[in-house]
Amino acid sequence: MNDRALMWKNLWRKPVRTILLVVSITIAFAILCVMLSFNDAISNVRTLPTRMITLSKINFTEPLPMAHYDRIARMEGVAVATHMNWFGGYFQEMPRGFLPVFAVDPETYFQVYAEDLQIPAEQRDAFFNDPTAMLVAAPVAEKFGWRVGQRIPIKSNIFTNSTSGDSTWEFMLAGTIPTPQGSSQTGSVLIHYDYFNETRTFGRDRIGWVPFLTTSAELNDRVSNAIDQRFANSADETSTNDEATFNKSFTAQLGNIALVITLVVGSAFIAILLIVGTTMALAVRERTKEVGVMKTLGFSSGRVLRMVLGESMLLAFLGAGFGALLALGLLAMAAGAGGGGPPVSLAPSALLWSALIALGLGLLTGLAPALQAYRMRIIDALGRR
Amino acid sequence: MTDLIRLTDVEKNYTRGKEKISIFDKLTMRIEQGDFVAIMGPSGSGKTTLLNLLGGTDKADKGAIEFDGKRIDNLNEGQLTAWRAANVGFIFQFYNLMPILTAAQNVELPLLLTKLAPKKRRENVATALKIVGLEDRAKHRPREMSGGQQQRVAIARAIVSDPKLLLCDEPTGDLDRTTADEILGTLQVLNRDLGKTIIMVTHDAQAAKFAKRTLHLDKGRFEQAELAA
Ligand SMILES: Nc1ncnc2c1ncn2[C@@H]1O[C@H](COP(=O)(O)OP(=O)(O)OP(=O)(O)O)[C@@H](O)[C@H]1O
Ligand SMILES: [Mg+2]
């Protein structure tokens, strides 16, 4: 036996109470870890200063006419433009099979997103040359066990295939895209716009949005103004922004959610702080006599203080550890379920924050009872009887 | 024989609100190494207070307290704590064992304060439990034991670090006659065979008979005739 074993035994003196505490701390830390990991994944996407995006002024789900793309591509200051269309894809079933499938113009798309599309030439050519080909982010192919050369049936929850009459398209997997941290292609599935456009039953010749590169970032403002003015007062007005601004406005919407979550998690932690704090205080008060005995036996006040503080630390870190594990499980489950985005892994920063918060939680909840035990005088603790 | 404990002109007061209560005023006594002293006296006469002063769990206001020729009344709290761990074993009326620990772990507790190797510790614990006749109860928790057995564990805990002095505050106050006599017999053995100096507070004249001598405390004073002895 040693002090640590003693702390551990003290912690489990009332197992039900301790389990309830650990569970509530675990949940709070799991939410924290998941939230921070998502935040990390979103804010980590790399951007290119010359890359801009034009989309409908109404919102990004509103399609634009194909003619817009042609005009933008020919505008002064635009180096190369491409276009993307949301397919609403999934494999086999929702939500597990959710896939962010984009119908793109392959050649221009490879120019606009060149830095994230470094794939073997034969895979690229296989994609370019077969209208029914698709490219998939490597983790997606891995998740579903797809192999290059395989034909994969992908369903759309928006469009109907005019050749088959149902919502299924078959695509040939031409290659996979490696997606390191921050890649713009994380989770992506790319198909040919032309093939998709010809085989869909409605919405023909309309596109989702237009990403393009300017010849120089200094021209960004001028180009975006020119584009939006060009389509002002038309049936399809546009909004053009550089990629960073676009991402920011997109995450700003998520940001509001994040704020709400922060408040929720924050209040959860305050509640836990109070609960654990009062429970620890109570636990030590229940042990008043034992503290007196320990001191009588020759345990110094400092040692008693360390043991009480250690106990609350143990509790906090136990909860934080389980919370991180739970978050790991939840994120893996979310990745397995699809659930609307690229897979998110547990962010190292989430672990760091968890450790810091656990330290604070342990200190704050343990300090008062530890000091109480420290100051306790033997004759008072052992009482008059 | 040499004196293990020497109290000289010890003064102890408590304040309750604004009122000052004098417990001891110029209390002087000496206890020899190897003695077994019973202290009797009416409730409130200061018996527990005296044990607290002797064990360094409470401080005297004035006077000198010597242990083994060294003064302990001027030690600070940290020094007193270390001194206590090395020199004094405590036995309480209500055993005061840790409910979460087994008998063996309770006995081991004072050894956490030593630098003994785990193996040596286990040996010492086994020896202490054997002395009190509880070697077969090592794995039991206090709540699984009778009062008498719990008090035996407490005695084992008090002697495991081999202190010179044992302070017992009504060690049999919660036990029936037979069990009490067994416990007192054990104390006698500790005194006689292991040379422990024992100071035992008791209300029970029968119990006091197990000691070598009895001191009567009343209103903070010992009966003069006894002290002279
Ligand atoms: N912490 C304290 N504060 C104030 N007065 C105290 C305190 N401790 C003890 N006293 C007083 O000191 C006196 C002696 O108390 P003590 O506990 O030493 O008596 P005792 O002889 O052990 O009595 P009992 O036989 O009832 O255990 C009592 O009058 C008691 O009220
Ligand atoms: Mg008393």
Side-chain angles (χ1 to χ4, degrees), chain A residues 24-45:
Chain A
S24 48
I25 300 171
T26 297
I27 291 171
F29 274 101
I31 297 173
L32 178 81
C33 284
V34 168
M35 189 196 89
L36 288 176
S37 298
F38 268 102
N39 189 49
D40 200 64
I42 289 166
S43 53
N44 259 353
V45 177

Side-chain angles (χ1 to χ4, degrees), chain B residues 30-131:
Chain B
R30 40 183 59 188
I31 288 172
E32 282 182 351
Q33 181 105 39
D35 207 349
F36 184 173
V37 183
I39 295 177
M40 298 191 70
S43 190
S45 56
K47 304 183 296 293
T48 297
T49 305
L50 178 64
L51 286 193
N52 288 341
L53 295 178
L54 294 175
T57 54
D58 200 357
K59 285 233 155 203
D61 295 308
K62 271 194 193 133
I65 303 176
E66 281 163 85
F67 180 88
D68 226 359
K70 286 184 209 75
R71 285 185 66 162
I72 61 157
D73 55 283
N74 47 18
L75 298 181
N76 66 29
E77 206 206 294
Q79 293 166 324
L80 260 182
T81 305
W83 169 81
R84 222 168 28 238
N87 296 293
V88 193
F90 292 84
I91 296 159
F92 308 92
Q93 179 178 358
F94 296 107
Y95 334 126
N96 285 346
L97 300 175
M98 300 274 172
I100 47 165
L101 302 181
T102 64
Q105 288 166 337
N106 265 292
V107 175
E108 192 187 347
L109 210 52
L111 298 182
L112 297 193
L113 301 160
T114 65
K115 291 197 171 71
L116 289 185
K119 187 167 167 284
K120 184 83 179 94
R121 276 202 237 160
R122 273 195 299 278
E123 283 170 16
N124 288 9
V125 169
T127 309
L129 279 174
K130 197 163 177 195
I131 289 172

Side-chain angles (χ1 to χ4, degrees), chain A residues 1-3 6 9-10 12-13 289-291 293-301 303 374 377-379 382 384-385, chain B residues 14 43 52 57-58 77 81-82 84-85 90 92-94 96-101 105 108-110 112-113 121 157:
Chain A
M1 199 172 56
N2 53 30
D3 283 19
L6 208 55
K9 284 178 201 291
N10 269 329
W12 292 101
R13 176 180 295 248
K289 201 156 191 178
E290 291 175 33
V291 171
V293 172
M294 302 250 315
K295 288 192 176 185
T296 306
L297 293 181
F299 285 80
S300 68
S301 295
R303 193 148 167 181
Y374 178 86
R377 290 180 357 175
I378 293 173
I379 50 167
L382 290 181
R384 300 257 26 253
R385 206 139 294 256
Chain B
Y14 280 119
S43 190
N52 288 341
T57 54
D58 200 357
E77 206 206 294
T81 305
R84 222 168 28 238
F90 292 84
F92 308 92
Q93 179 178 358
F94 296 107
N96 285 346
L97 300 175
M98 300 274 172
I100 47 165
L101 302 181
Q105 288 166 337
E108 192 187 347
L109 210 52
L112 297 193
L113 301 160
R121 276 202 237 160
R157 178 178 69 184

Side-chain angles (χ1 to χ4, degrees), chain B residues 116-209:
Chain B
L116 289 185
K119 187 167 167 284
K120 184 83 179 94
R121 276 202 237 160
R122 273 195 299 278
E123 283 170 16
N124 288 9
V125 169
T127 309
L129 279 174
K130 197 163 177 195
I131 289 172
V132 298
L134 275 184
E135 56 268 59
D136 55 335
R137 296 294 158 125
K139 294 247 153 62
H140 289 227
R141 275 169 215 284
R143 105 174 82 75
E144 298 156 355
M145 289 185 281
S146 71
Q149 288 169 333
Q150 289 188 55
Q151 194 60 301
R152 287 176 180 281
V153 175
I155 293 172
R157 178 178 69 184
I159 59 171
V160 73
S161 49
D162 200 21
K164 284 190 175 144
L165 177 65
L166 293 184
L167 298 177
C168 320
D169 198 347
E170 300 183 41
T172 57
D174 203 42
L175 301 172
D176 62 60
R177 185 75 264 150
T178 326
T179 316
D181 286 353
E182 280 168 20
I183 294 289
L184 292 161
T186 304
L187 290 180
Q188 246 178 358
V189 169
L190 294 178
N191 171 249
R192 198 181 51 221
D193 298 352
L194 298 179
K196 303 289 173 209
T197 306
I198 301 179
I199 301 176
M200 173 179 75
V201 164
T202 183
H203 277 120
D204 173 11
Q206 278 288 108
K209 286 187 188 150

Side-chain angles (χ1 to χ4, degrees), chain A residues 126-142:
Chain A
F127 177 55
F128 283 3
N129 297 334
D130 179 352
T132 71
M134 74 172 170
L135 279 183
V136 177
V140 176
E142 199 178 315

